[in-house]
Amino acid sequence: MTYDVIVLGLGAMGSAAAQHLAERGKHVLGIEQFTAAHDQGSSHGGSRMIRQAYFESPDYIPLVLRAYELWRRIEKDTGADLLHITGGLNIGSRDGELVRRTIAASEMHSIPFEVLEGRAISERFPVVVPLHDDVAVHETNAGYLFPEECIRAQLALASRAGAELHFEERVLSWDAVGDGVEVRTSKGAYTAGHLVIAAGPWASAALQRIFPLRVTRQVMAWIQPTTGVTPFLPDRFPVFLCEDPEGGYPGYGFPAIDGPLGGIKAAIHGSDVVCTPESVDREIHDVDVLRIIAKLKARMPALDGQVVRAKTCLYTMSPDEHFVIGKHPRFAACLVACGFSGHGFKFASVVGEILADLAISGSTTKPIGLFSPGRFVR
């Protein structure tokens, strides 16, 4: 069967692409090797942070502002509960990159924020014990998304608009055929004018390793605070990101969004444990959660508590940790969205809009120069 666009992968980015393409009247086939909103990749675990003061690069801020608008539109169109604003804390030394770049990005794009120093941090948030030279950038509009519900909502809108969605169907190969593509799967063969590859940690294999992507094993832990969850409830505690004073990967976490027995979800943003989706060790070891607690307990002593549960997920890292979005450098009919490097979920709604722009008109007005696939290909 022939389609206008085939979307390979129906996680965060693929479900968004299928939604936007179908809503613009395109005949869309989405193919996913697992069930909807599965837990084998990068878009599970009950919460994902969203923030506007984007220290990674100010270039992200116009995109994340549009993403907020689109998440709210999806909520309105589906009745789903997706985006919660709690505020956000970026904690670190005044001269550290986290604080300096967060402030610079906020000032450049007029993002509401305030800087809390020393005692003011713990006066506002009593469970935080700042280190000697800590300051905290408090961002008003940060919060969290429910990732599984976001994906389900995007899939529902895609299906409502006429997209054909296939689950538990594995893609075996794809090739450029004439001006389009042919995709072969475990259940058949399909042709289309365009192919969107949004395969998360499977992207490297799907793209024949044309980009230098690296998959890493991450661990999320839910910790019962020694104080109980009351001081960490979402109406009194924000999402947070903490600089490592020794220069290691930062720690981050969320307020108590899972009730009195659910704990505080926390993790380390980064890992040196390289794997593949097939080889990843999904068993949780004591050292995994001890690392997370050790990363955060100096500033938040209450997180030196019992671990309620823990789970693995996968980051797909690009060499510069910026996204890869755009036209395949060798096949004009193929678009790629990969390498989201552990900070991409919040952008899924706008990435879907961008991919639809590229598939339909060949260009987008969104600022995606930073993410050009060509930067990694000679």
Side-chain angles (χ1 to χ4, degrees):
M1 186 175 290
T2 298
Y3 298 84
D4 294 325
V5 185
I6 295 173
V7 179
L8 194 168
L10 291 174
M13 309 304 168
S15 62
Q19 174 205 336
H20 282 277
L21 285 160
E23 287 178 341
R24 297 194 207 180
K26 296 303 174 182
H27 189 202
V28 178
L29 170 63
I31 304 174
E32 168 59 56
Q33 64 179 322
F34 300 111
T35 56
H38 62 83
D39 65 355
Q40 299 299 296
S42 306
S43 299
H44 59 280
S47 57
R48 285 294 183 275
M49 195 179 297
I50 187 166
R51 51 194 167 87
Q52 297 178 352
Y54 225 70
F55 69 87
E56 288 86 345
S57 169
D59 292 357
Y60 286 93
I61 294 178
L63 299 181
V64 80
L65 295 178
R66 176 59 175 163
Y68 272 77
E69 294 176 355
L70 291 170
W71 290 125
R72 290 305 191 197
R73 180 186 299 176
I74 293 170
E75 287 183 318
K76 181 179 178 180
D77 290 346
T78 64
D81 180 26
L82 305 178
L83 171 58
H84 291 258
I85 302 300
T86 61
L89 278 183
N90 284 359
I91 307 173
S93 66
R94 176 176 292 279
D95 296 328
E97 284 199 358
L98 176 61
V99 167
R100 286 190 298 102
R101 293 172 64 175
T102 299
I103 292 172
S106 300
E107 292 176 340
M108 181 180 295
H109 288 274
S110 300
I111 303 301
F113 76 99
E114 62 179 318
V115 177
L116 304 176
E117 301 195 27
R119 183 180 299 175
I121 302 173
S122 52
E123 288 175 350
R124 180 81 61 89
F125 305 106
V127 294
V128 179
V129 179
L131 303 182
H132 172 67
D133 60 347
D134 272 352
V135 298
V137 183
H138 182 247
E139 177 193 343
T140 306
N141 294 322
Y144 60 89
L145 295 157
F146 291 127
E148 291 91 342
E149 295 308 313
C150 289
I151 292 170
R152 292 188 185 102
Q154 291 178 152
L155 292 172
L157 291 174
S159 181
R160 184 188 302 177
E164 187 177 323
L165 307 177
H166 292 191
F167 295 96
E168 299 183 280
E169 182 169 348
R170 187 165 59 91
V171 171
L172 303 177
S173 64
W174 66 272
D175 287 298
V177 177
D179 293 332
V181 295
E182 180 182 60
V183 176
R184 290 172 292 280
T185 77
S186 56
K187 296 183 180 180
Y190 314 95
T191 58
H194 285 88
L195 173 67
V196 173
I197 295 180
W202 292 268
S204 185
L207 291 163
Q208 301 175 340
R209 293 173 173 77
I210 188 172
F211 304 124
L213 302 175
R214 181 171 56 94
V215 176
T216 62
R217 174 183 181 267
Q218 308 292 142
V219 174
M220 306 172 281
W222 285 257
I223 303 164
Q224 190 67 19
T226 57
T227 58
V229 300
T230 299
F232 290 92
L233 291 173
D235 63 348
R236 62 190 69 184
F237 198 74
V239 297
F240 60 89
L241 183 65
C242 296
E243 175 186 77
D244 186 327
E246 297 181 359
Y249 296 117
Y252 69 95
F254 299 81
I257 66 176
D258 296 318
L261 301 179
I264 307 301
K265 180 184 168 186
I268 298 172
H269 181 56
S271 169
D272 296 320
V273 181
V274 179
C275 61
T276 69
E278 294 76 26
S279 70
V280 61
D281 178 6
R282 296 190 184 273
E283 182 179 352
I284 301 298
H285 306 281
D286 289 346
V287 67
D288 293 324
V289 294
L290 290 174
R291 283 196 192 103
I292 296 170
I293 291 171
K295 182 74 68 171
L296 295 171
K297 70 178 183 180
R299 289 187 175 100
M300 299 182 193
L303 295 187
D304 192 9
Q306 293 295 313
V307 175
V308 177
R309 61 189 176 101
K311 197 167 183 65
T312 59
C313 75
L314 301 172
Y315 280 9
T316 306
M317 309 295 295
S318 72
D320 59 12
E321 299 186 13
H322 295 308
F323 308 159
V324 183
I325 305 173
K327 297 178 182 179
H328 191 293
R330 297 178 185 171
F331 301 104
C334 179
L335 303 172
V336 300
C338 60
F340 288 95
S341 300
H343 63 112
F345 187 92
K346 63 185 75 65
F347 294 91
S349 58
V350 71
V351 170
E353 187 175 55
I354 290 166
L355 292 168
D357 291 343
L358 295 174
I360 293 169
S361 66
S363 63
T364 181
T365 59
K366 306 294 189 302
I368 61 169
L370 181 65
F371 313 130
S372 170
R375 73 189 192 272
F376 298 130
V377 181
R378 294 180 180 177

